[in-house]
Amino acid sequence: MTSWESLVSLAVLATVLLAILIRPGGFHEAVPAVIGAGILLILRLEAISHAGHVLREAADVLVFLAAMMVISALAELAGVFDWVALRIAARAGGSVFRLFLLIYGFGAVLTAFFSLDVTVIVLTPIVFAMCSRFALPPVPFLIICTFVANIPSLLFPMSNLTNLLLYAEFSISFTDFVAIMVVPNTVALICLIAITWLLFRTHLPERFAEPAKPATPSINSRWLRTAAIVLILTLLGIIGLGVVGAPLSIAAALGATVLLILGWHQQAIAIPEVSHRIAWPVLPFVVAMLVLVDAVNRNSLSHLDWSYPNGMLAGTAMATGAAVLGSNIVNNVPMTLLAVPFIHQSDPAASERLAYATLIGANIGPTLTTYGSLATLLWLSIVRRRGVGISTGQYMRHAWIVTLPVLGAALASLWLALWLLD
């Protein structure tokens, strides 16, 4: 491969990443990614056959992602998440600290089973409505929405797109993934709750006044029950398929299909409304980034003779640090893809633990900035559309205080988990 081809591939990727960060004209991140991938294909810096191979390898991830977006949209329209939100407020019993914990609990469950993007989309409006209804200061509660979306997203392969990418790339078993990641995920969540409460408690009252008769969401109760049941069965199916090593997309696709059919049969949904709530551009974004990174890997990175150190402590620390740095420069999804060839160059026996360490950095590290994760960018746009003035500087002042100790605790607990299960 000539140096010209290598330089052009890197230049196209750099231009795409810059466009993703600044979003000229307010275009979705998928637009520059698709244009960049198209340029590489037209210039034959990425062969059609290679792009096809990449897509076949990622087919399960893409189907799973699309199906879960459909299920999430249907569950939201059915009022499942609003119903849960009302129960959260009732359980708090007027205690702000209890409400704080319950929001974290609900957010962590959403992230674990649906992914961080769903958590941001669902939780942020709910929390804003709670703050308005109970006359609570919105900024602390809204900021924890993005923290609980990103940081405890290590538990399952489906909790984060970065997880799915490395889970599929390195053929990690579902049970191994959960057995290792449950420790750092739990430690990160506990540290996150403790630090954010210490950070925000002086800005919050001890109690809030509950309305005498809280309003209930306007929903079809039969459709709500149907959506909740299918949702639970789908999640159980995903976990079951993961345990036996079958593709997770089977349960997700089946659940989305069944829920669509039942919603249509009960005349409870309108397909255009469902489609409007789904972030379809995420799919071409993922496809385009896969093609871009594959081209850069073939033209440039595959020629580099570099790998992580073999020692567990040094290797995992370097993998985590590189993922943190890269995620806050180029966003965590492309950073995860760029990390793959370097993990492959390392000792094969260490590749799985380096993948886990990379995810610590790629999932927790992006919270240092507003652009490290697409979920945080989405969160900021939702918050600002509701008239809450959270500046980038204000967010980052809180984020650095929270993220660095949580990141250190998660990495230390990963070392402990790897040592215990070695």
Side-chain angles (χ1 to χ4, degrees), residues 64 68 109 112-114 155-159 167 173-175 178 231-252:
F64 179 86
M68 290 306 295
V109 170
F113 289 101
F114 294 98
L155 185 57
F156 297 126
M158 64 273 200
S159 303
Y167 170 79
S173 78
F174 188 92
T175 50
V178 176
L231 182 60
I232 292 169
L233 291 175
T234 301
L235 295 177
L236 291 174
I238 289 170
I239 294 172
L241 289 176
V243 170
V244 300
L248 307 182
S249 60
I250 295 174

Side-chain angles (χ1 to χ4, degrees), residues 214-274:
T216 55
S218 176
I219 51 178
N220 179 326
S221 59
R222 181 187 175 197
W223 173 227
L224 170 61
R225 290 193 299 270
T226 300
I229 291 169
V230 174
L231 182 60
I232 292 169
L233 291 175
T234 301
L235 295 177
L236 291 174
I238 289 170
I239 294 172
L241 289 176
V243 170
V244 300
L248 307 182
S249 60
I250 295 174
L254 182 60
T257 303
V258 169
L259 200 51
L260 277 170
I261 292 172
L262 291 176
W264 175 80
H265 179 71
Q266 294 182 20
Q267 298 182 334
I269 60 170
I271 298 300
E273 185 180 9
V274 176

Side-chain angles (χ1 to χ4, degrees), residues 276-297:
H276 178 70
R277 289 175 177 261
I278 297 171
W280 293 117
V282 170
L283 298 176
F285 171 78
V286 173
V287 170
M289 290 306 302
L290 288 170
V291 172
L292 279 164
V293 172
D294 183 67
V296 170
N297 179 36

Side-chain angles (χ1 to χ4, degrees), residues 33-179:
V34 170
I35 292 174
I39 289 172
L40 292 183
L41 289 169
I42 291 170
L43 295 177
R44 297 186 179 179
L45 298 176
E46 172 74 345
I48 297 292
S49 59
H50 292 157
H53 176 74
V54 168
L55 294 183
R56 286 192 297 274
E57 290 289 314
D60 185 57
V61 171
L62 295 170
V63 171
F64 179 86
L65 186 60
M68 290 306 295
M69 288 195 295
V70 171
I71 291 172
S72 299
L74 290 168
E76 184 182 6
L77 286 169
V80 173
F81 300 132
D82 286 341
W83 183 87
V84 173
L86 286 173
R87 270 61 194 169
I88 288 174
R91 289 278 183 183
S95 167
V96 170
F97 178 64
R98 195 177 301 165
L99 181 64
F100 193 84
L101 293 178
L102 289 169
I103 289 172
Y104 262 121
F106 180 43
V109 170
L110 279 177
T111 298
F113 289 101
F114 294 98
S115 88
L116 69 170
D117 297 315
V118 171
T119 301
V120 162
I121 292 169
V122 171
L123 187 62
T124 308
I126 289 174
V127 167
F128 180 79
M130 282 184 182
C131 291
S132 300
R133 176 178 292 177
F134 302 135
L136 291 168
V139 171
F141 286 101
L142 289 173
I143 286 179
I144 70 172
C145 288
T146 187
F147 288 153
V148 77
N150 284 278
I151 289 176
S153 63
L154 298 163
L155 185 57
F156 297 126
M158 64 273 200
S159 303
N160 198 325
L161 177 57
T162 55
N163 298 0
L164 281 171
L165 293 171
L166 294 192
Y167 170 79
E169 177 68 29
F170 294 98
S171 302
I172 303 171
S173 78
F174 188 92
T175 50
D176 285 349
F177 189 99
V178 176

